[in-house]
Amino acid sequence: MGSSSRSHKRQKVDHVDDSTAEIVAEQSEESLKSHPHPTTESSMIHHDQGEFKNITRHKTTAEQGETLENGPINPFTGNKFTDRYFSILKTRRDLPVHYQRQEFLNIFHSSQIMVFVGETGSGKTTQIPQFVLYDEIPHLINKQVACTQPRRVAAMSVAARVADELDVKLGEEVGYSIRFENKTSPKTILKYMTDGMLLREAMEDHNLNKYSCIILDEAHERTLATDILMGLIKQVSKRRKDLKIIIMSATLDAEKFQNYFNDAPLLAVPGRTHPVEIYYTPEYQKDYLDAAIRTVLQIHATEPEGDILLFLTGEEEIEDACKKISLEGDELVREQGCGQVKVYPLYGSLPPHQQQKIFEPAPTSNNPNRPGRKVVISTNIAETSLTIDGIVYVVDPGFSKQKVYNPRVRVESLLVSPISKASAQQRAGRAGRTRPGKCFRLYTEEAFRKELIEQSYPEILRSNLSSTVLELKKLGIDDLVHFDFMDPPAPETMMRALEELNYLQCLNDDGDLTSLGRLASQFPLDPILAVMLIGSSGFECSEEILTIVAMLSVPNVFVRPISARKRADEAKMQFAQPDGDHLTLINVYEAFLEDHGDLSPHQWCRENFLSYRSLTSAKNVRNQLYRLMEKYDLPIVSNYGEIPDAKYWENIKKALIGGFFMQVAKKKSNNKNYLTIKDNQDVMIHPSTILSKEGEWVIYNEFVLTSKNYIRTCTIVKPEWLVEIAPKYYNLDHFQKGDVKLSLERVISKVESKRNSK
Amino acid sequence: MKRNLNVIQSNIKHERPKKKQLRKSIFETEESEDYEISKKKPPKKAFEKPAENECESESDEDYMSFKVEEEEERVKPKAAEKNSIHKSLFESSTKSIGLRMMEKIGFKVGDTLGAKNSSEAIKEPIQLRTTLGKGTNESAKYTDEQVSELKSQKISDVKKIHHIKEVKKLMKLCFDMSGDFEKDNVEKVNELWRPYELYIESVEESKKIQSEELKYKNLNTFNFEDHINNIDDTRDRLLTYLRDEHCFCYYCGSTYENLDDLEKNCPGLNREEHESKGCNT
């Protein structure tokens, strides 16, 4: 056991006991220390028939690379290139980045860090890593090249594409690694991965020694993980002069990246863009959805050939608009002889095969004056990370859904809010990909100039930082305050994160990692869920908590189509465990695993209004978490069927409190509403709950801020458990006067008198 | 271009009434009175070309620039919530363990985070706006002067509404007590309370109109304020009329036997005098 955690224990002996999770974590650390697991890390295997012997690493030319690419033998595998390879190679040689291969190599050779700017469609995500491979020749020095992506789907699909381009099998020379899924092998030399996964690797290997080159792609998206990686890599670059770093961005505001990386050189590939005319509405649009639909129809009825891209904020809105535009579009066909309209939705949670549909060509029309048209209705995805050919008209209502965290009330909410000027420009640019286009902004020019902020807020300024702080601690960064953030977050946000981690006992009072903190950081989960999972064996319900955590880590498993709301709600009630939504998730998961007779799991899900995709991914997540628990010697204890039913559920609830003790609401005495503990926010239980009776005290999974404040996924608990399981948090000195404090005082005196009588 | 789109717009509009049935089925769920009305509004979907090339967003105007709009207040959350959102956590009376940890590594309240204490770094948590183009900004941070200006603006708005209501009531009283309600010609009604007669006429008029929409419009169009030059002056004159001609004090709510009785027992002409001394009836 580390000295820090020993001092931490001593200090707290007469103060507060360690939480169940901390005790479990200490035991598991102890056990791992005395009986270490054999390391499974296998060394790299690579092919080398001297293909690269005439080439000097970091001195290659574009010509040399191209000669090798021309075959006939694949230098990375020794196999003969296939015909398919050559046909792809031809299209690759047409991409804008190809023409700057030499220029790229010159800068790459002369500088440790470089910034590369190229619009989507320039080929940067697929080609640059390959240019690097032919120059790095990483396998000959037992290293890999990593290319990060903010999105899981992108990491998977790009890896598949590049495997094809290099004529190798996906998962061998080219692989990917995303949360809960690793498709790499000892042969892998190019690894696409989510930025979050590279961060996880850095926690184990502070110098990222596996890699000879790291490419941070889509840096303009400024995800939380990319921002932290940039800060980290900036440090690593000083310790590892041999490490090459490329920051890739799709937007032209690369100066910020250059400045941050000590004036790193820049290479920009000119995009293939045409002029875009911009139109504004003369007045404020009250209902942007209605305005958007009408604008799309107008374009269809009157503008020359060209597809339409409409930006909306979320799944529900998009599906709604799709329906309305299809119906009204059909009407235009019938009544005015307009061409056919095909409408496609596009959002992150859409199954990949449906996402592919947006690439289908527009319907044809016999009358050239009445063109058929494709309409794509998309979230921000289509802003930078995806290119759809044929788009000539963009409709931009000026909104997107953004997550924002407020540390003062500890609420993370998804708000539909105005985009930035940079975003608006990016959206407009989408119209000029194939030929001159038009962008219709559903707001006034004055609003654009005066109200839109210049740049979108990076995620780090809008997020709860508990996970990040825990990661930074695990990355060995102790001076969090002076960490070189590209955009430093608000001090209050960091303070809240430290405070929460202290209550969770992941950090001791000196701010050092505890055994629990070290262990929790190993799980790709929110610290609350990780702590709950680690502590679960102490409540003899590890299997159940595994299920709940897995189910909370995937998109909502309940499907509720607008056309069949009532039936969906009834179906949900079959699984209901009356006093808890969390508990209900266990019932759903177990029912899913059962034998469904004649029905395929898919059909069974459809009949029960459950999402097959979410449930299968929950199963996968659960397996991964199970393995992680085994890896860290965490006991997996469960008591199903061995103890009375009531006690069984009670244990699970107690284990839930082990993580969720900071997310508690108490019913108000005078009405049906609830008040969140400590933060005193007025909330209601989300109507999707299965809770049939009103609980005085509930724990909740999330706070949803829409027109009302809702708490979603709730389970009724007893207040005695709160003060027993989380005494430090329920120290009444830190509570404001009021109903909650009074009730807790009563509860505490009851608990104490019970303890004394024993 | 602008004109072109306008024409198209009216084309679509023109076709619509015929298809009302179908439209209904499409929009069934949100069909409401409001929607009906909004549909009748003049076409708003014409696009303007920008006056100059906007791509270079040259203006560095503060997007949070302050504007007073009535709507501001309506959407505000409850007072308690507002306070907790606007109050820095560093102002809390109990010191957070998190702050103590940060202080240990050299943080002082008022600093920003980051490698250099840069002025670009944020000091306070960001808050997102939710409207665009309305000119209101829920999350804008106001200076103290702006807050007090807003407050006094709001107070005077409320007072004004209150005063107008009062004047309206007084006018009705005078109208009834003077017997003017029997007169058939507006011109014959005393100028002082003629606006009340106009108001009644407008209400009568709108009752005759069958269409919901027009009624809605008409009711909204009559504005008392437009017919009164000086609220305070009008009120005083109405009060004086009631006292002098009818020995009636509006604030006492009673008719006195004669002017002497009134002088003796009524505290005075205005509300303030009644509130400070208390009305003895």
Side-chain angles (χ1 to χ4, degrees):
Chain A
M1 197 185 300
S3 61
S4 64
S5 56
R6 215 179 295 133
S7 68
H8 157 62
K9 263 192 109 174
R10 198 188 315 126
Q11 177 196 338
K12 290 173 72 196
V13 160
D14 50 350
H15 186 51
V16 197
D17 299 326
D18 279 343
S19 71
T20 312
E22 169 66 5
I23 295 165
V24 174
E26 280 172 13
Q27 285 164 355
S28 96
E29 267 197 347
E30 201 78 32
S31 142
L32 266 182
K33 207 155 268 175
S34 47
H35 311 283
H37 294 193
T39 44
T40 47
E41 197 92 341
S42 48
S43 55
M44 289 181 60
I45 312 168
H46 62 257
H47 166 87
D48 179 18
Q49 294 281 340
E51 285 91 346
F52 292 94
K53 66 173 186 293
N54 296 328
I55 280 179
T56 318
R57 201 168 163 261
H58 289 168
K59 288 214 168 69
T60 72
T61 61
E63 203 190 329
Q64 287 172 324
E66 281 166 37
T67 311
L68 280 168
E69 276 175 355
N70 290 340
I73 299 296
N74 187 335
F76 298 107
T77 62
N79 298 333
K80 226 175 149 240
F81 279 129
T82 59
D83 291 345
R84 183 148 178 267
Y85 168 85
F86 288 109
S87 82
I88 299 177
L89 185 64
K90 234 172 106 189
T91 58
R92 285 172 55 201
R93 296 272 160 95
D94 244 6
L95 289 165
V97 285
H98 171 76
Y99 300 98
Q100 273 163 297
R101 187 167 184 165
Q102 188 57 53
E103 214 176 321
F104 166 78
L105 287 172
N106 293 344
I107 296 175
F108 186 67
H109 292 157
S110 65
S111 168
Q112 187 184 8
I113 307 175
M114 73 178 283
V115 178
F116 185 93
V117 167
E119 282 211 44
T120 35
S122 62
K124 67 177 188 323
T125 304
T126 52
Q127 305 308 302
I128 295 291
Q130 296 187 59
F131 295 173
V132 169
L133 280 188
Y134 280 94
D135 186 67
E136 277 287 313
I137 324 167
H139 49 298
L140 298 186
I141 51 164
N142 265 320
K143 303 261 184 209
Q144 296 177 311
V145 170
C147 179
T148 66
Q149 298 291 320
R151 269 179 270 270
R152 294 160 55 88
V153 181
M156 286 159 69
S157 60
V158 173
R161 169 71 192 178
V162 173
D164 277 352
E165 291 190 358
L166 281 170
D167 216 5
V168 300
K169 219 174 137 216
L170 179 63
E172 295 192 347
E173 282 77 9
V174 178
Y176 65 84
S177 169
I178 58 180
R179 188 167 87 139
F180 301 125
E181 197 179 341
N182 185 1
K183 206 167 172 63
T184 62
S185 71
K187 283 185 177 175
T188 304
I189 51 174
L190 172 58
K191 187 155 131 190
Y192 283 92
M193 61 208 301
T194 52
D195 44 13
M197 283 312 291
L198 186 58
L199 199 54
R200 305 229 124 243
E201 287 190 7
M203 281 160 50
E204 292 306 298
D205 173 8
H206 293 338
N207 282 334
L208 294 161
N209 282 315
K210 264 190 192 163
Y211 303 102
S212 68
C213 175
I214 291 170
I215 304 166
L216 298 184
D217 197 6
E218 314 284 356
H220 62 274
E221 293 206 17
R222 302 293 307 280
T223 59
L224 188 44
T226 294
D227 267 20
I228 299 295
L229 275 174
M230 286 197 288
L232 191 71
I233 281 174
K234 195 174 168 181
Q235 288 187 356
V236 174
S237 70
K238 288 177 200 141
R239 299 195 292 263
R240 272 193 61 197
K241 288 291 177 198
D242 62 313
L243 179 69
K244 290 273 188 187
I245 295 146
I246 305 172
I247 310 294
M248 299 209 288
S249 164
T251 48
L252 289 166
D253 54 321
E255 216 174 295
K256 191 159 185 177
F257 296 115
Q258 286 183 275
N259 290 342
Y260 182 72
F261 287 106
N262 318 315
D263 300 320
L266 169 79
L267 178 61
V269 170
R272 285 175 183 159
T273 46
H274 301 273
V276 175
E277 274 186 285
I278 290 172
Y279 298 90
Y280 294 93
T281 52
E283 56 188 285
Y284 161 67
Q285 299 296 310
K286 198 170 166 211
D287 180 351
Y288 71 78
L289 188 58
D290 181 58
I293 291 169
R294 283 192 282 151
T295 306
V296 167
L297 292 167
Q298 240 179 80
I299 295 170
H300 178 56
T302 61
E303 293 280 338
E305 198 178 359
D307 296 334
I308 306 172
L309 174 61
L310 162 62
F311 287 98
L312 290 177
T313 65
E315 178 177 342
E316 212 169 302
E317 203 176 73
I318 288 172
E319 291 291 354
D320 188 39
C322 279
K323 230 181 317 173
K324 285 178 182 163
I325 292 176
S326 296
L327 278 168
E328 300 232 3
D330 288 350
E331 220 183 303
L332 286 176
V333 175
R334 275 197 309 275
E335 311 265 332
Q336 295 189 15
C338 286
Q340 281 279 335
V341 197
K342 271 280 198 187
V343 191
Y344 301 103
L346 177 62
Y347 44 84
S349 56
L350 200 69
H353 70 274
Q354 266 178 288
Q355 286 195 9
Q356 285 304 311
K357 281 193 184 162
I358 59 163
F359 298 111
E360 285 174 15
T364 50
S365 162
N366 299 330
N367 183 349
N369 297 325
R370 294 296 203 173
R373 227 183 282 267
K374 177 167 79 176
V375 178
V376 177
I377 309 183
S378 171
T379 58
N380 265 355
I381 296 189
E383 205 174 287
T384 51
S385 43
L386 242 162
T387 303
I388 312 156
D389 286 326
I391 298 292
V392 177
Y393 306 100
V394 164
V395 179
D396 172 20
F399 286 92
S400 71
K401 213 178 248 182
Q402 292 173 52
K403 181 184 74 176
V404 65
Y405 172 74
N406 191 315
R408 295 178 178 173
V409 288
R410 289 194 308 138
V411 171
E412 188 170 82
S413 41
L414 261 181
L415 281 183
V416 172
S417 77
I419 58 172
S420 64
K421 285 195 181 113
S423 254
Q425 304 292 34
Q426 198 66 34
R427 287 179 173 193
R430 306 281 84 193
R433 303 282 319 162
T434 28
R435 60 184 173 83
K438 288 177 182 170
C439 173
F440 299 90
R441 292 183 174 157
L442 304 181
Y443 39 92
T444 62
E445 192 186 356
E446 197 194 2
F448 174 87
R449 280 193 289 108
K450 293 194 177 162
E451 292 187 38
L452 296 191
I453 54 172
E454 292 298 328
Q455 295 288 336
S456 312
Y457 293 116
E459 197 184 359
I460 195 166
L461 304 185
R462 300 183 279 111
S463 303
N464 179 344
L465 295 180
S466 338
S467 290
T468 308
V469 166
L470 193 61
E471 280 162 4
L472 285 169
K473 277 284 181 186
K474 190 72 202 338
L475 286 163
I477 290 151
D478 281 321
D479 188 353
L480 298 169
V481 166
H482 302 105
F483 181 71
D484 192 1
F485 296 103
M486 193 160 174
D487 276 294
E492 286 170 70
T493 310
M494 177 163 291
M495 183 192 98
R496 253 317 184 216
L498 289 165
E499 185 185 303
E500 282 190 15
L501 289 168
N502 179 254
Y503 281 128
L504 284 168
Q505 298 201 14
C506 288
L507 296 178
N508 66 18
D509 291 355
D510 296 326
D512 299 322
L513 278 176
T514 61
S515 304
L516 180 57
R518 274 190 292 278
L519 208 48
S521 70
Q522 301 292 348
F523 286 83
L525 295 169
D526 187 285
I528 288 181
L529 295 180
V531 164
M532 185 168 92
L533 191 59
I534 293 166
S536 61
S537 66
F539 300 95
E540 305 183 312
C541 54
S542 311
E543 299 274 1
E544 289 75 12
I545 296 298
L546 267 168
T547 303
I548 291 174
V549 170
M551 294 285 270
L552 292 177
S553 303
V554 298
N556 193 357
V557 294
F558 297 105
V559 180
R560 197 165 180 261
I562 300 168
S563 52
R565 281 185 185 148
K566 213 172 149 226
R567 272 166 55 221
D569 291 343
E570 280 163 13
K572 188 174 179 181
M573 284 317 283
Q574 311 171 77
F575 305 107
Q577 189 64 35
D579 47 2
D581 291 318
H582 295 94
L583 310 181
T584 301
L585 292 174
I586 300 178
N587 291 344
V588 172
Y589 184 77
E590 280 172 6
F592 172 67
L593 293 187
E594 273 166 25
D595 182 31
H596 306 302
D598 294 341
L599 293 177
S600 72
H602 215 115
Q603 285 169 316
W604 180 83
C605 285
R606 207 166 334 152
E607 288 202 353
N608 288 288
F609 292 90
L610 297 170
S611 159
Y612 176 75
R613 260 179 92 224
S614 290
L615 277 163
T616 31
S617 84
K619 194 173 156 187
N620 175 29
V621 170
R622 194 182 185 281
N623 286 337
Q624 301 282 339
L625 293 173
Y626 195 99
R627 258 175 266 157
L628 270 173
M629 287 183 80
E630 283 181 333
K631 181 176 169 192
Y632 293 105
D633 270 5
L634 285 164
I636 296 172
V637 191
S638 226
N639 259 333
Y640 185 65
E642 290 163 32
I643 49 169
D645 218 34
K647 181 93 181 143
Y648 172 77
W649 293 113
E650 190 179 306
N651 281 347
I652 298 172
K653 287 185 184 180
K654 285 184 176 170
L656 284 169
I657 289 174
F660 285 118
F661 59 85
M662 290 180 281
Q663 288 169 208
V664 177
K666 182 188 180 298
K667 204 176 149 304
K668 289 166 95 175
S669 46
N670 49 351
N671 60 32
K672 286 190 88 162
N673 288 8
Y674 284 74
L675 210 58
T676 60
I677 302 297
K678 280 200 183 174
D679 307 308
N680 296 316
Q681 297 290 295
D682 236 322
V683 294
M684 285 163 76
I685 294 187
H686 195 270
S688 66
T689 188
I690 58 85
L691 290 184
S692 48
K693 52 183 179 193
E694 279 179 358
E696 179 87 1
W697 299 79
V698 296
I699 53 169
Y700 60 89
N701 181 54
E702 58 180 338
F703 192 114
V704 200
L705 195 121
T706 51
S707 50
K708 293 195 180 88
N709 291 340
Y710 283 120
I711 46 176
R712 190 157 56 191
T713 314
C714 301
T715 289
I716 299 173
V717 295
K718 289 201 178 134
E720 299 90 285
W721 302 339
L722 297 172
V723 296
E724 277 165 17
I725 294 168
K728 195 173 176 189
Y729 189 74
Y730 287 89
N731 178 350
L732 292 187
D733 297 345
H734 300 155
F735 277 73
Q736 279 175 31
K737 266 189 203 141
D739 181 35
V740 170
K741 188 169 182 173
L742 278 174
S743 311
L744 282 171
E745 271 166 0
R746 277 198 297 273
V747 170
I748 288 175
S749 69
K750 209 168 89 186
V751 170
E752 272 170 1
S753 70
K754 215 193 258 172
R755 199 179 285 155
N756 292 338
S757 70
K758 271 181 192 166
Chain B
M1 186 63 230
K2 179 182 171 185
R3 189 170 302 146
N4 187 7
L5 270 171
N6 257 327
V7 172
I8 295 138
Q9 173 69 30
S10 58
N11 271 343
I12 296 180
K13 286 262 147 185
H14 207 76
E15 296 293 328
R16 275 186 176 167
K18 274 189 265 167
K19 297 171 234 153
K20 196 128 193 222
Q21 266 338 90
L22 192 84
R23 286 188 61 84
K24 266 221 167 110
S25 68
I26 297 165
F27 291 107
E28 211 157 37
T29 45
E30 58 231 78
E31 198 85 22
S32 70
E33 213 179 71
D34 276 4
Y35 184 65
E36 275 294 316
I37 289 162
S38 74
K39 271 205 308 198
K40 301 263 165 53
K41 276 188 188 156
K44 47 184 175 180
K45 191 89 0 50
F47 287 90
E48 285 178 336
K49 278 212 78 173
E52 63 227 284
N53 186 10
E54 52 77 29
C55 289
E56 274 70 58
S57 46
E58 72 304 312
S59 89
D60 49 0
E61 264 167 290
D62 182 9
Y63 71 94
M64 285 187 180
S65 61
F66 176 78
K67 273 178 200 163
V68 183
E69 292 247 353
E70 282 189 2
E71 269 185 275
E72 214 100 69
E73 231 73 347
R74 232 190 321 144
V75 285
K76 281 282 151 105
K78 289 193 193 80
E81 195 175 317
K82 221 171 86 181
N83 280 339
S84 50
I85 277 193
H86 292 288
K87 193 176 156 201
S88 165
L89 288 171
F90 297 136
E91 288 166 28
S92 158
S93 52
T94 48
K95 194 175 201 173
S96 159
I97 182 84
L99 178 55
R100 239 177 272 153
M101 290 179 195
M102 284 161 74
E103 284 174 342
K104 252 187 66 182
I105 37 181
F107 175 80
K108 287 187 297 298
V109 172
D111 287 356
T112 56
L113 302 183
K116 39 195 179 289
N117 199 346
S118 109
S119 57
E120 275 170 49
I122 56 170
K123 282 197 165 163
E124 299 215 349
I126 57 156
Q127 291 179 35
L128 296 181
R129 311 151 43 86
T130 50
T131 61
L132 173 58
K134 258 167 89 178
T136 61
N137 181 4
E138 289 169 48
S139 54
K141 281 177 233 127
Y142 300 134
T143 64
D144 286 349
E145 295 100 77
Q146 283 169 333
V147 167
S148 61
E149 190 186 322
L150 231 195
K151 269 188 191 161
S152 57
Q153 174 73 31
K154 184 75 193 168
I155 290 168
S156 78
D157 283 354
V158 169
K159 265 193 187 155
K160 197 167 161 193
I161 291 167
H162 192 81
H163 285 159
I164 288 175
K165 271 190 186 161
E166 194 174 80
V167 167
K168 193 170 143 190
K169 274 188 196 158
L170 281 166
M171 284 186 182
K172 179 179 162 32
L173 261 177
C174 296
F175 184 65
D176 290 346
M177 290 172 91
S178 64
D180 276 1
F181 64 93
E182 285 172 335
K183 297 192 174 129
D184 49 358
N185 192 335
V186 190
E187 297 301 315
K188 289 181 193 158
V189 173
N190 189 320
E191 247 179 83
L192 198 51
W193 50 84
R194 195 176 293 155
Y196 186 73
E197 165 66 13
L198 293 171
Y199 164 73
I200 290 190
E201 278 182 7
S202 116
V203 172
E204 289 296 317
E205 195 65 28
S206 69
K207 273 184 192 159
K208 281 184 221 151
I209 300 164
Q210 290 297 312
S211 143
E212 281 293 311
E213 183 203 342
L214 281 175
K215 189 151 104 191
Y216 172 84
K217 270 190 187 159
N218 241 326
L219 272 177
N220 271 328
T221 50
F222 189 84
N223 194 346
F224 244 91
E225 224 183 314
D226 299 342
H227 300 266
I228 303 167
N229 286 332
N230 183 331
I231 296 173
D232 287 343
D233 183 52
T234 310
R235 185 190 56 228
D236 287 353
R237 285 171 62 197
L238 286 162
L239 287 169
T240 312
Y241 167 81
L242 286 171
R243 293 169 83 90
D244 291 354
E245 300 296 321
H246 300 280
C247 298
F248 179 80
C249 170
Y250 177 73
Y251 297 111
C252 296
S254 53
T255 308
Y256 291 89
E257 279 169 27
N258 51 46
L259 283 176
D260 282 349
D261 186 21
L262 179 79
E263 284 297 310
K264 219 184 280 168
N265 293 312
C266 174
L269 178 70
N270 286 310
R271 177 182 290 276
E272 294 81 51
E273 287 148 320
H274 286 76
E275 274 169 356
S276 57
K277 290 185 184 163
C279 191
N280 53 3
T281 38

